[in-house]
Amino acid sequence: MTNAVQKTARRTHTLGESVIREMNDFADEHKALNLAQGMPDFAAPEVLKEAACAAIRGDVNQYAVTSGAPNLRKVLAKKYRDWYEMDVHPEREITVTCGATEAMACVALGLFDPGDEVIIFEPFYENYGPDALLAEAKPVYLRLDPPTYDLDREALTALITPKTRAIVVNTPNNPTGRVFGREDLQVIADLCIEHDIIAITDEIYEHILYEGEHVLMATLPGMAERTVTVSGMSKTYSVTGWRIGTIVAPPALTAGIQKIHDFVTVGTAAPLQEACAVGIEQLGRDYYTGMIDEYRVRRNIMIEGLRAAGFQCAMPQGAYYVMADFSAISDEDDFTFAKRLILEAGVGTVPGSSFYHSEGGGRSLVRFVFCKREDTLREAGQRLRDFAARG
Ligand code: PLP
């Protein structure tokens, strides 16, 4: 008999467990090299660490302003101007959140009404669908296919209905490494303007880009007033545990988003916000180019190891993930194969189908992360080659 006291809310029943965390735990349990979850195994920049210690020693211990520490919002506005020629009002258009994760949830809860439709590209970062569901909106999926994951204008247009409220774009992309260029973004922008839709962009990998330029949807003509730009510090400064995310949105949308943020968290860690402000202000362009150079080396080691082991994969253009096709090695499904990789090769990955909603998507793919030290990636490549050679 079910105990009425033990029942959970209906909205939780639509949410599955995070496959990434599950595979992460399984990999750790079996002491595998963990290339499942996107967290670096190297240090954050010294300037951020020093600034965090200084803020704590300086007694920055109390609640920050809910929408974000004024210092941080000020340097963020300057950064958007300097890097992207984008005018952002620090008080009316910026919200600092507990990571891009809280940011995306606040955007969904602040801007979607029940029944609204939200277009999400597959393969996707796993939070977008659940965020829409939490807001009782309906995720509508558009599948982009490997190896190039190109956006088809006709297919996107066909999904738009009078209920479409938003299109979610993640560039550079997790899990594919695809970068949406100006032309792709213009296709989406044109449809947003024509059908009065908002664009929600997840730009958490904005600085991890191996070729081309990072184009902000919000800077395309007519898009500033209908774009919500989500980003954060986790990836740029290798501080995934600090939980500092950002939202830039026009004042009317920001007002709704901030109401949710205020009730859910009040705000994120005050001393760490101060430290991020110092980091953004003090780290010059050489930090960012140096970081990209290091990631490019890691990417090349990863790709070389995967290809030598028999995986097929496209070269990521940005971010630090690679979707690898294992059909030349095994005809198992992705979950069986990923579990066997942990147990027999000692390498943790995420099954490809967890990035798809549609039937059969990602069945012969697994995702590797390469935000790891070079020796970790070399060792992973060797283990994969040995595993594939054993058959
Ligand atoms: N968005 C994407 C595309 C991600 O890959 C991740 C983390 O892996 C996040 C958001 C979460 O970022 P945060 O650590 O700022 O919550």
Side-chain angles (χ1 to χ4, degrees):
M1 196 171 38
T2 51
N3 181 344
V5 174
Q6 305 285 319
K7 100 181 162 63
T8 55
R10 215 168 357 105
R11 75 178 61 80
T12 67
H13 305 171
T14 57
L15 307 176
E17 294 294 322
S18 161
V19 176
I20 295 180
R21 271 187 288 283
E22 188 191 318
M23 293 309 285
N24 206 46
D25 293 348
F26 192 62
D28 287 345
E29 193 185 315
H30 292 277
K31 303 203 174 0
L33 286 181
N34 196 340
L35 304 188
Q37 197 174 15
M39 50 186 181
D41 65 352
F42 39 84
E46 212 52 42
V47 60
L48 269 90
K49 295 199 289 190
E50 284 300 326
C53 294
I56 290 171
R57 288 206 191 90
D59 292 325
V60 182
N61 294 321
Q62 311 311 328
Y63 300 120
V65 176
T66 296
S67 51
N71 272 347
L72 179 55
R73 282 182 288 133
K74 198 169 101 209
V75 299
L76 280 168
K78 181 170 182 318
K79 185 194 153 187
Y80 274 96
R81 167 115 287 281
D82 292 350
W83 281 78
Y84 306 117
E85 295 179 3
M86 187 171 148
D87 283 320
V88 175
H89 194 284
E91 272 112 53
R92 296 164 62 221
E93 296 184 308
I94 296 182
T95 311
V96 179
T97 57
C98 298
T101 303
E102 194 224 356
M104 292 302 288
C106 287
V107 169
L109 291 167
L111 305 185
F112 302 161
D113 273 321
D116 282 351
E117 294 178 1
V118 182
I119 298 179
I120 297 168
F121 302 142
E122 295 180 298
F124 45 67
Y125 174 62
E126 64 175 355
N127 283 24
Y128 308 143
D131 286 338
L133 291 171
L134 280 179
E136 296 178 53
K138 181 182 168 203
V140 174
Y141 295 98
L142 175 63
R143 186 157 151 179
L144 310 183
D145 288 318
T148 50
Y149 300 99
D150 285 333
L151 179 63
D152 178 10
R153 188 196 156 93
E154 304 307 312
L156 178 57
T157 308
L159 290 183
I160 294 173
T161 76
K163 290 185 177 166
T164 306
R165 169 72 173 134
I167 301 176
V168 180
V169 188
N170 169 216
T171 182
N173 187 265
N174 170 11
T176 63
R178 166 103 152 77
V179 169
F180 286 79
R182 195 173 287 278
E183 279 176 26
D184 296 310
L185 296 180
Q186 192 62 58
V187 165
I188 299 166
D190 289 345
L191 290 170
C192 284
I193 291 167
E194 186 183 338
H195 298 275
D196 204 14
I197 294 167
I198 58 172
I200 300 169
T201 63
D202 179 346
E203 308 187 10
I204 191 93
Y205 299 101
E206 64 186 294
H207 290 294
I208 306 180
L209 192 70
Y210 308 108
E211 52 198 75
E213 55 165 346
H214 177 65
V215 181
L216 270 75
M217 179 74 90
T219 62
L220 299 186
M223 288 306 287
E225 68 200 61
R226 57 177 68 251
T227 301
V228 178
T229 307
V230 170
S231 190
M233 313 298 153
S234 284
K235 315 292 175 171
T236 303
Y237 303 126
S238 307
V239 288
T240 59
W242 284 23
R243 314 308 302 128
I244 311 279
T246 59
I247 308 171
V248 174
L253 301 184
T254 294
I257 293 166
Q258 288 188 350
K259 280 188 189 167
I260 303 291
H261 167 69
D262 192 2
F263 281 109
V264 173
T265 65
V266 177
T268 189
L272 301 183
Q273 293 196 52
E274 294 300 336
C276 288
V278 172
I280 295 171
E281 213 172 16
Q282 293 193 1
L283 289 170
R285 297 267 173 163
D286 54 333
Y287 167 74
Y288 299 90
T289 48
M291 176 187 62
I292 292 173
D293 288 345
E294 286 173 10
Y295 270 118
R296 189 178 286 109
V297 172
R298 294 182 192 114
R299 174 190 71 162
N300 294 349
I301 295 171
M302 182 87 256
I303 294 290
E304 205 177 293
L306 288 173
R307 288 182 179 162
F311 289 90
Q312 284 162 336
C313 44
M315 200 53 124
Q317 302 163 305
Y320 48 54
Y321 304 90
V322 51
M323 283 287 250
D325 188 315
F326 58 83
S327 46
I329 305 174
S330 163
D331 57 9
E332 289 164 309
D333 70 68
D334 56 324
F335 269 87
T336 311
F337 183 73
K339 288 212 161 137
R340 205 155 64 79
L341 271 188
I342 289 173
L343 296 174
E344 295 178 23
V347 178
T349 64
V350 180
S353 61
S354 56
F355 303 100
Y356 288 83
H357 174 78
S358 61
E359 195 62 34
R363 196 194 164 281
S364 63
L365 301 172
V366 283
R367 189 200 70 176
F368 292 83
V369 306
F370 55 84
C371 51
K372 303 291 172 187
R373 290 192 302 264
E374 290 176 29
D375 53 348
T376 312
L377 297 172
R378 283 206 183 83
E379 171 66 19
Q382 187 58 50
R383 289 186 186 194
L384 293 169
R385 280 197 294 279
D386 293 346
F387 167 83
R390 287 196 299 271

